[in-house]
Amino acid sequence: MLHEILLSLSGHPSPLLRPSTLEADALAAITPPERQLLASAAHLSHVHVRLIANASQISASHPSPVCRAVSNAIQSHHLAAFQRKILDVEQSILRHDPDLVGAYHIVPLTAVMSEFQQWTRKMDWLLATSNFILDKRGGNAPCQGADLICRLRVDVGSGYRDVADAALDLTKVAETAWLKQAAAWVLYGRLPTLGSTDFFIQEAHSPQEEFTIVPEYLPPFVTLPTASSMLYIGKSLNRIRAVGGASSTLGGLDHVSSKLRELAGLTFPVNAVALSRTVSSIRRSLAENTLSKLLPLVKVVDMLQLLRDFFLLGRGEFALALTQEADEKIRNRWRRAGNLANEKDVLKNVTIKDGEVAAVLNRTWTVLASMQGQHADEDEQLDLARDLLRLQLANKPQSAPAATSDFSSDVAKCLGQLQFNNLLFSVPATLHIDLPAPLDMVISPSDLFIYSSINAYLLSLQRAHIRLTDLWKMTSLRRHHAAPRGGGEHAVMLRQRWSARSSALRSSWTTASAAIFFIGETEAYLQTEVIAGLWETFSAWLIGDNVRQNNNDVLDSEAREQSPVDGGPSNQFEDLFIPEHHFNSRPPAAAQPRSPVHDPQSLSKAHSLYLDILVRRLLLTQPTFTTSLYTLLVHIDHLILHMRRLHSIFISMDLEADAGVVDEFVDLEREEQEVMALLHAVEAEVRGGIEAVVGTLRSLASNIDFLAEWEAEGRIVGDDDLDEEDRYTPGRIGGIDRLLMKLDFGSWLGSGDGGWEQETE
């Protein structure tokens, strides 16, 4: 009987422990206490048999290497220990150990089963763990390694010593298997060849991203920032391997060995903070040994400066030339299409092609080069912009990239609904940049989308400002020269004609002046306070306040001894940073010079945060403001269109009256009346549009939730182990109240108090 029990506990089926197969007379020979003991043995035997089967199935076919490692540990460690316990009990019986063998060589069944009592709960837990691994998740997906690690960590705190010890042992095995997968990625940039579907980094199906993070596959000790750093490290190594100009490791076998030792030195269960610091150390080592050669800081600064100058309109002459060339293209299309006489459908009938849009940008570069004169060849930034920037039609509705941790869904939604890119050519057109590798390691597709959206927004405001001021260039419509002496009745007739037109257009000029004031003050606020202020703090963090101040001191000292004509001063930082004139001056933060320490991922995060704050400070996340402003800009376009149309009608009427040039197919007087009626109607729309935008600003200024968000401190980007001075903190700039103070200057913005009527009378 004892032999059968020990064989059954070892995993061999025994009819003795299956009462249903025994005859009634056989059961009669077993007492109730013995039946209870046999039931315990039968349960333990059944658990052992099932556990062996589950472990064999998991080790042979489960797709997760973490689950396989745990299953192998159950077989090689825990089940082997249970088997050794059975052998020890059997050996004790054969040696007549007094703890098990009594008088007359009697072996009590109670003593034998007491030796296995401590294994019952542990074996039940092991079976439950194996069943958890074999259970399917939602959608018939197999158990993931992250799920198993999470369950084992919970069971460590179960309160039972034996279960806690077993759970801790399997946790070490599971986390070690996971770290081996992670090591292949963070040291060599390779996804695991076995069980890649179980790793939290997967190949992306989007053409914009090669790899992506699956948050559901993250173990509990891996935070999202740590996962983002690991993703960045692997992508960088893949990029280095693709370039082929450097080793795909962290600078050699010595560095790989040292980082492997750091990973192997992690204690189990793995602490999230310790893992984060280890990953940060690997990332900095990668940046110092390899990425510093592949992506020097000077290239990043040059590209960010180019984006600042051309997308955020830091170079105002670019916006001026682009607007004028676009307007000239539209006017040429009007003339060729013969739609100039039909002002109602002129915007609908003008169609622009991709080649014409590209030609507008090419002519813009020509104009900018002509502005430089003989020094055009010295403007390297202009040459770089000519090579990289593209102006193209958006054949599909504007859509934002997928939201990420650095590109929130609310920002993506708001930017995707903007329509400012319709104003330059009356069809959607956006400015893009062909970002060269490896700068896309710092500037993401979502960042470029934000730049394009902000550019369309700022360009539409500057375009309206330029076109409104161009109205004053129509001298014959704006003023009339005094008649010479002896002019006679003809001079009197000209004076009366101009006086009547001047009286009819007085309200139009007043409305245009008010619109110029509104747009000018809004532009000044957005450019000088918001964009320039944020760029100053970001560029100061980017190149370092102290380094820049040290550069200034060196330049000032050498400028006294060397003339700029001879080549200009040189200093120890000239091969790292761009010239000082690219940035706004700022007082030094400390007396001691210190070079900035930025790895590419910190640069990428800081740049994304800078754009996120910029979008919010430009009010692009407030649909009520952007909608009312877009409507106002459309009305301003109509106002300009009608005034130019009226000017051409006046010229034709003057030719007919003074020179006898008659067009029998055109009724100029009727057209004058129609255009004048349309002009007065759009004047009211422009005035109402200005009041609507200002009213929206006042509502935002009185919104407690909006003000709380506006006044909130900027988030800090950087590793937890970095000093405070190495982290980027956005500057607190702007304020709607400052803009409203400027717009409230004058009575023409009165809310229904007759200010407009007083101004136009």
Side-chain angles (χ1 to χ4, degrees), residues 304-530:
L304 293 178
Q305 185 67 48
L306 184 144
L307 292 171
R308 163 71 176 96
D309 288 343
F310 289 93
F311 280 82
L312 303 184
L313 306 188
R315 296 181 63 152
E317 66 272 17
F318 172 72
L320 175 63
L322 182 61
T323 298
Q324 291 177 343
E325 294 299 327
D327 286 348
E328 183 63 26
K329 171 59 66 176
I330 292 294
R331 283 193 291 268
N332 291 338
R333 294 292 303 214
W334 287 342
R335 297 188 188 101
R336 289 196 299 269
N339 292 327
L340 192 60
N342 190 358
E343 73 284 345
K344 293 182 180 180
D345 298 329
V346 66
L347 294 179
K348 297 180 181 179
N349 293 334
V350 175
T351 57
I352 301 295
K353 300 179 181 179
D354 290 324
E356 294 175 316
V357 173
V360 168
L361 184 60
N362 291 333
R363 286 195 297 271
T364 301
W365 299 132
T366 303
V367 172
L368 292 179
S370 64
M371 292 181 180
Q372 300 291 330
Q374 61 180 354
H375 301 288
D377 296 337
E378 302 175 5
D379 195 341
E380 297 180 358
Q381 188 189 56
L382 183 62
D383 295 336
L384 182 62
R386 183 186 294 111
D387 294 336
L388 300 181
L389 265 61
R390 300 291 181 268
L391 185 64
Q392 59 189 26
L393 297 177
N395 297 324
K396 297 181 180 180
Q398 189 178 19
S399 60
T404 62
S405 58
D406 300 325
F407 187 50
S408 56
S409 57
D410 58 336
V411 173
K413 181 179 179 181
C414 293
L415 294 183
Q417 295 175 348
L418 296 179
Q419 297 179 318
F420 293 102
N421 58 356
N422 297 330
L423 297 176
L424 186 61
F425 292 101
S426 302
V427 292
T430 54
L431 188 66
H432 294 277
I433 184 170
D434 295 334
L435 197 65
L439 286 169
D440 53 354
M441 298 169 62
V442 174
I443 305 173
S444 64
S446 59
D447 295 338
L448 297 181
F449 172 77
I450 293 178
Y451 273 114
S452 296
S453 301
I454 296 178
N455 174 260
Y457 170 64
L458 298 176
L459 190 61
S460 63
L461 286 172
Q462 191 151 358
R463 171 181 176 272
H465 196 176
I466 293 172
R467 298 189 72 204
L468 281 171
T469 54
D470 283 346
L471 292 178
W472 268 256
K473 296 180 181 179
M474 298 186 297
T475 307
S476 61
L477 188 65
R478 183 173 57 88
R479 58 181 299 182
H480 182 73
H481 295 283
R485 292 184 179 181
E489 296 181 356
H490 182 68
V492 174
M493 181 191 67
L494 293 178
R495 170 63 63 180
Q496 292 176 349
R497 180 194 302 170
W498 181 85
S499 298
R501 294 176 180 177
S502 176
S503 178
L505 293 177
R506 182 178 180 183
S507 61
S508 301
W509 289 114
T510 303
T511 302
S513 299
I516 289 177
F517 176 80
F518 169 80
I519 292 180
E521 293 299 331
T522 303
E523 269 192 301
Y525 165 77
L526 296 179
Q527 285 288 350
T528 61
E529 295 196 24
V530 176

Side-chain angles (χ1 to χ4, degrees), residues 112-372:
V112 174
M113 295 309 301
S114 64
E115 293 291 328
F116 298 98
Q117 184 178 3
Q118 60 179 345
W119 281 91
T120 303
R121 181 170 50 241
K122 183 177 179 179
M123 294 291 284
D124 288 339
W125 177 81
L126 290 173
L127 179 61
T129 302
S130 65
N131 289 334
F132 175 81
I133 296 175
L134 291 175
D135 285 342
K136 300 293 185 180
R137 304 174 64 195
N140 294 326
C143 174
Q144 298 294 331
D147 299 331
L148 179 58
I149 293 175
C150 183
R151 177 185 173 89
L152 294 175
R153 280 176 164 249
V154 172
D155 290 341
V156 169
S158 62
Y160 298 102
R161 177 70 177 272
D162 50 354
V163 172
D165 291 342
L168 182 60
D169 180 69
L170 294 183
T171 299
K172 294 179 181 179
V173 173
E175 293 182 355
T176 301
W178 185 89
L179 284 176
K180 289 181 179 179
Q181 290 182 305
W185 175 256
V186 299
L187 297 182
Y188 301 98
R190 295 186 176 93
L191 289 175
T193 55
L194 177 62
S196 59
T197 57
D198 188 52
F199 197 50
F200 74 96
I201 294 177
Q202 301 285 325
E203 292 185 0
H205 301 290
S206 171
Q208 299 175 345
E209 295 288 343
E210 295 182 69
F211 303 96
T212 184
I213 294 177
V214 183
E216 295 80 6
Y217 295 172
L218 283 176
F221 55 84
V222 182
T223 62
L224 280 176
T226 303
S228 178
S229 294
M230 297 175 70
L231 173 65
Y232 184 84
I233 292 171
K235 289 170 61 177
S236 301
L237 292 173
N238 274 278
R239 180 61 55 81
I240 294 170
R241 188 184 302 111
V243 171
S247 172
S248 60
T249 63
L250 298 179
L253 295 177
D254 294 338
H255 289 278
V256 173
S257 300
S258 63
K259 299 313 171 187
L260 274 174
R261 286 193 295 269
E262 287 190 37
L263 290 173
L266 294 171
T267 58
F268 298 97
V270 177
N271 182 269
V273 176
L275 178 64
S276 176
R277 290 178 178 175
T278 301
V279 171
S280 299
S281 175
I282 295 175
R283 193 186 72 204
R284 287 195 298 272
S285 178
L286 175 66
E288 294 170 1
N289 292 280
T290 305
L291 293 182
S292 59
K293 301 177 182 178
L294 181 66
L295 184 62
L297 183 61
V298 63
K299 291 185 178 180
V300 179
V301 175
D302 283 341
M303 183 54 61
L304 293 178
Q305 185 67 48
L306 184 144
L307 292 171
R308 163 71 176 96
D309 288 343
F310 289 93
F311 280 82
L312 303 184
L313 306 188
R315 296 181 63 152
E317 66 272 17
F318 172 72
L320 175 63
L322 182 61
T323 298
Q324 291 177 343
E325 294 299 327
D327 286 348
E328 183 63 26
K329 171 59 66 176
I330 292 294
R331 283 193 291 268
N332 291 338
R333 294 292 303 214
W334 287 342
R335 297 188 188 101
R336 289 196 299 269
N339 292 327
L340 192 60
N342 190 358
E343 73 284 345
K344 293 182 180 180
D345 298 329
V346 66
L347 294 179
K348 297 180 181 179
N349 293 334
V350 175
T351 57
I352 301 295
K353 300 179 181 179
D354 290 324
E356 294 175 316
V357 173
V360 168
L361 184 60
N362 291 333
R363 286 195 297 271
T364 301
W365 299 132
T366 303
V367 172
L368 292 179
S370 64
M371 292 181 180
Q372 300 291 330

Side-chain angles (χ1 to χ4, degrees), residues 660-715:
V661 180
V662 179
D663 188 350
E664 298 180 354
F665 299 98
V666 179
D667 189 349
L668 295 177
E669 294 183 357
R670 181 182 61 83
E671 286 194 10
E672 178 189 6
Q673 295 176 357
E674 292 179 355
V675 174
M676 192 67 72
L678 293 173
L679 182 60
H680 290 317
V682 79
E683 290 172 15
E685 292 176 343
V686 171
R687 293 193 294 267
I690 295 177
E691 293 179 355
V693 175
V694 176
T696 301
L697 292 175
R698 289 196 177 111
S699 299
L700 292 175
S702 60
N703 189 324
I704 299 178
D705 296 335
F706 174 77
L707 292 178
E709 178 185 356
W710 186 280
E711 296 296 333
E713 292 288 342
R715 294 169 292 170

